[in-house]
Amino acid sequence: MKLIIRNNAAEGSLWAAQRIANAIRAKAVYSDKPFVLGLCTGSTPIATYTELIRMVKAGELSFRNVITFNMDEYVGLPESHPESYHSFMHHNLFDHIDIVPSNIHILDGNAPDLAMECAKYEQAIEDAGGFDLFLGGVGEDGHIAFNEPFSPLCSRTRVVTLTQDTREVNARFFGGDANAVPAQALTVGVATVLSAHEVVILAFGPRKARALRDAVEGPMSHYCTLSGMQNHANGIIVCDEAAVGELKVSSYRYFKAIEAAEAL
């Protein structure tokens, strides 16, 4: 695992978009197989999606041979609801790029058999060849996707009950009412994310500082599911100066020095 530290979220978002674009282009050079991309929702990735949209419209990038799988979806929320992750992804990315609609995969939170929906999702990921790259964010308590604290690091796609903290954080999308946030969600597991060839996690702002510290300097633990990145050969956390505020000075200097050396 390594950290890419940028001055602010805008610079970090652009770095992530370029990393994704470069990976898509690189695979196209040696293979005609689709690029399999994991995606997340929330306010954090919006600037990255905006840059990817710009690249597509400028003719610098194409999603024609990209298959996507999203991290999660609320249970019981209609797909047409403005706060469903189906709506989010179409509004913030899919409706503005040249992706083939049949290549878009998002969990169905209204499936009649939720356990079967999760099993089918895992199988679809495997059938696609596995993730080339997974883009994710991190919660203030260190969770990735909806893998709340104490989720097994070996977990796969499943139904989860959301903590009150998560519902309160997401209440801003539901008129400030935590009770309006669905109590359950479908989510890929920690192991599902970490099965990707490369994982890029975005962590911006001072509210992510504790989670970043626990993930980087703490033990690998189900208490902070982001800490599973410690065991990933190609795990990258893209963060800004505000998010590294609780790291040791020696840790900060180490990751800055590694990036500087690799740039030579």
Side-chain angles (χ1 to χ4, degrees), residues 19-28 30-39 65-69 124-135 192-200 232-236:
R19 184 78 174 196
I20 293 168
N22 287 344
I24 293 172
R25 297 188 196 107
K27 184 171 183 178
Y30 68 84
S31 175
D32 59 1
K33 292 182 178 179
F35 188 91
V36 184
L37 177 64
L39 296 172
N65 199 32
V66 175
I67 295 175
T68 66
F69 289 87
I125 294 168
E126 183 177 339
D127 292 345
F131 292 111
D132 292 291
L133 187 150
F134 209 123
L135 175 71
T192 310
V193 175
L194 298 181
S195 69
H197 173 71
E198 182 173 357
V199 180
V200 176
H232 198 287
N234 296 302
I236 301 172

Side-chain angles (χ1 to χ4, degrees), residues 74-249:
Y74 290 115
V75 168
L77 204 64
E79 290 184 8
S80 59
H81 190 285
E83 297 306 331
S84 78
Y85 292 157
H86 283 76
S87 293
F88 176 96
M89 289 306 305
H90 282 278
H91 177 72
N92 289 289
L93 182 63
F94 296 146
D95 289 350
H96 311 286
I97 59 176
D98 60 345
I99 192 166
V100 178
S102 60
N103 284 348
I104 297 170
H105 299 83
I106 305 176
L107 284 155
D108 181 2
N110 295 288
D113 186 332
L114 296 177
M116 180 62 71
E117 170 67 10
C118 293
K120 287 168 56 181
Y121 205 68
E122 281 284 340
Q123 187 61 54
I125 294 168
E126 183 177 339
D127 292 345
F131 292 111
D132 292 291
L133 187 150
F134 209 123
L135 175 71
V138 59
E140 294 177 20
D141 58 6
H143 73 261
I144 51 176
F146 274 133
N147 294 287
E148 307 277 30
F150 307 111
S151 294
L153 297 184
C154 61
S155 57
R156 292 285 178 174
T157 305
R158 67 203 188 284
V159 185
V160 295
T161 298
L162 303 182
T163 65
Q164 187 60 29
D165 284 349
T166 292
R167 295 178 75 191
E168 288 177 0
V169 167
N170 289 354
R172 68 189 190 276
F173 302 118
F174 291 82
D177 182 6
N179 291 323
V181 181
Q184 290 188 308
L186 304 184
T187 182
V188 295
V190 181
T192 310
V193 175
L194 298 181
S195 69
H197 173 71
E198 182 173 357
V199 180
V200 176
I201 299 292
L202 307 178
F204 303 135
R207 291 185 176 182
K208 304 300 174 69
R210 180 173 63 86
L212 188 63
R213 178 202 65 200
D214 290 347
V216 174
E217 297 177 346
M220 190 167 69
S221 165
H222 61 181
Y223 173 73
C224 173
T225 53
L226 179 61
S227 67
M229 288 277 284
Q230 294 178 15
N231 208 34
H232 198 287
N234 296 302
I236 301 172
I237 300 177
V238 185
C239 49
D240 60 4
E241 291 287 347
V244 298
E246 294 200 21
L247 289 183
K248 295 175 183 176
V249 172

